[in-house]
Amino acid sequence: MIRRLRIALIASARFPIREPFAGGLEAHTWALASALRRRGHRISLFAAPGSDPCLGVRELAVHAPRLSAAARADLSMTDPSAMDEHHAYLRLMLDLAHGDGSPSYDLVHNNSLHYLPVAMAPAVPAPVVTTLHTPPTPWLESAIQTDPTGSGVFTAVSAHTARSWQPLVHAGHLRRTELAALVGSARATLVTPCWDEPYGLVVAESLACGTPVAGFDRGALAEILTPDCGRLVPYPDVPALAAALDETMSLSRRACRERAESFCSLGRMTDRYESLYEELLS
């Protein structure tokens, strides 16, 4: 039998958790809080004012700050409602982290869409579970990345939503041997400069690993690539780049390596610098 827990359930601050529900998020939170209470758990629902009092509601302090005329005139000022939410969740998470005069919680369940419960979860003594209700958003993704320990626990409302939050194809900062193994295992490298690339070391590195390149024709890329080892398309023609990818993957890996050795290698660069030094000194 599961023991009875004291659970802090964090709801969205935008709409009350009561019928008629403003949307699926509110209905989900109400149903979860009701079901947990029926099973004997002690629920404190932190929610917007006007929420169903039967749920053990503790209202989020969503109060408009008193701003001076000078502050309101600041061009960088965010939307007032976003500022209200920010301070409400900040106050809540500080209370959960340092104690708010009530008994401690066994667990905190974040059912909101706000980033602060995620970003501040490591400061809370109790485990924090966050349910993901939406596709990735910049604020939530960045909040998740602020926790270097990866201590947060996440669930999602569907397998589809969970897959959308899976981390990308990012390998981090690799040593040269590790980087060479990774690039060499690829069938092609996409190089997409948005400026006139002065050289494009990633192109040379890819060719050195025997991996052909498909990219935008910007800057020096056309000096490095030949038709044997890569394909270039006009910038910023994304459909053309996608169309060139299949052909790029069929190019000879040996030709890529040979181009790197003859044009891009450290030895070739050093030879030319030595020739320049001798020319200057003779």
Side-chain angles (χ1 to χ4, degrees):
M1 179 179 178
I2 297 177
R3 65 189 178 100
R4 293 175 179 176
L5 303 174
R6 181 170 172 83
I7 301 172
L9 182 59
I10 303 176
S12 171
R14 296 188 180 182
F15 301 102
I17 307 302
R18 69 160 190 259
E19 296 188 80
F21 301 116
L25 177 60
E26 290 73 25
H28 178 278
T29 304
W30 185 92
L32 177 61
S34 300
L36 289 172
R37 287 174 65 84
R38 285 195 299 269
R39 296 190 179 192
H41 299 292
R42 298 178 62 191
I43 305 300
S44 293
L45 177 64
F46 294 89
S51 296
D52 187 344
C54 296
L55 301 179
V57 174
R58 302 187 64 182
E59 291 186 358
L60 285 166
V62 186
H63 303 302
R66 295 187 296 272
L67 300 177
S68 67
R72 290 194 301 271
D74 187 345
L75 295 178
S76 68
M77 178 175 168
T78 188
D79 181 81
S81 63
M83 188 178 298
D84 299 347
E85 277 195 359
H86 174 91
H87 289 295
Y89 282 112
L90 177 61
R91 183 71 264 160
L92 168 62
M93 296 310 294
L94 288 173
D95 287 344
L96 292 175
H98 303 299
D100 60 355
S102 62
S104 60
Y105 295 100
D106 298 305
L107 184 136
V108 177
H109 187 161
N110 171 35
N111 214 37
S112 76
L113 304 179
H114 206 267
Y115 58 91
L116 272 178
V118 175
M120 297 182 67
V124 178
V128 178
V129 176
T130 293
T131 296
L132 300 170
H133 292 265
T134 68
T137 63
W139 281 105
L140 273 178
E141 273 198 351
S142 63
I144 292 171
Q145 294 167 19
T146 62
D147 180 9
T149 65
S151 59
V153 176
F154 297 89
T155 65
V157 293
S158 67
H160 170 79
T161 299
R163 286 193 298 270
S164 72
W165 281 91
Q166 291 297 312
L168 298 176
V169 293
H170 182 251
H173 196 189
L174 303 179
R175 295 181 180 274
R176 287 186 299 171
T177 54
E178 297 169 328
L179 180 61
L182 178 63
V183 176
S185 67
R187 295 181 62 191
T189 298
L190 284 176
V191 182
T192 57
C194 296
W195 71 320
D196 287 330
E197 181 64 64
Y199 180 75
L201 186 59
V202 66
V203 177
E205 291 174 331
S206 181
L207 297 181
C209 296
T211 302
V213 172
F216 289 138
D217 191 1
R218 296 292 302 265
L221 265 64
E223 298 178 34
I224 303 174
L225 292 175
T226 67
D228 291 335
C229 59
R231 294 290 183 270
L232 292 176
V233 302
Y235 172 83
D237 194 338
V238 174
L241 184 60
L245 193 55
D246 283 343
E247 189 176 349
T248 302
M249 291 190 292
S250 68
L251 296 175
S252 167
R253 299 186 71 91
R254 180 180 294 276
C256 295
R257 176 67 185 183
E258 289 175 350
R259 177 62 175 169
E261 291 176 344
S262 65
F263 189 78
C264 311
S265 69
L266 177 61
R268 174 66 170 155
M269 180 186 72
T270 307
D271 288 343
R272 297 182 71 178
Y273 273 123
E274 281 187 331
S275 297
L276 174 62
Y277 300 157
E278 289 296 332
E279 181 180 340
L280 292 174
L281 294 175
S282 63

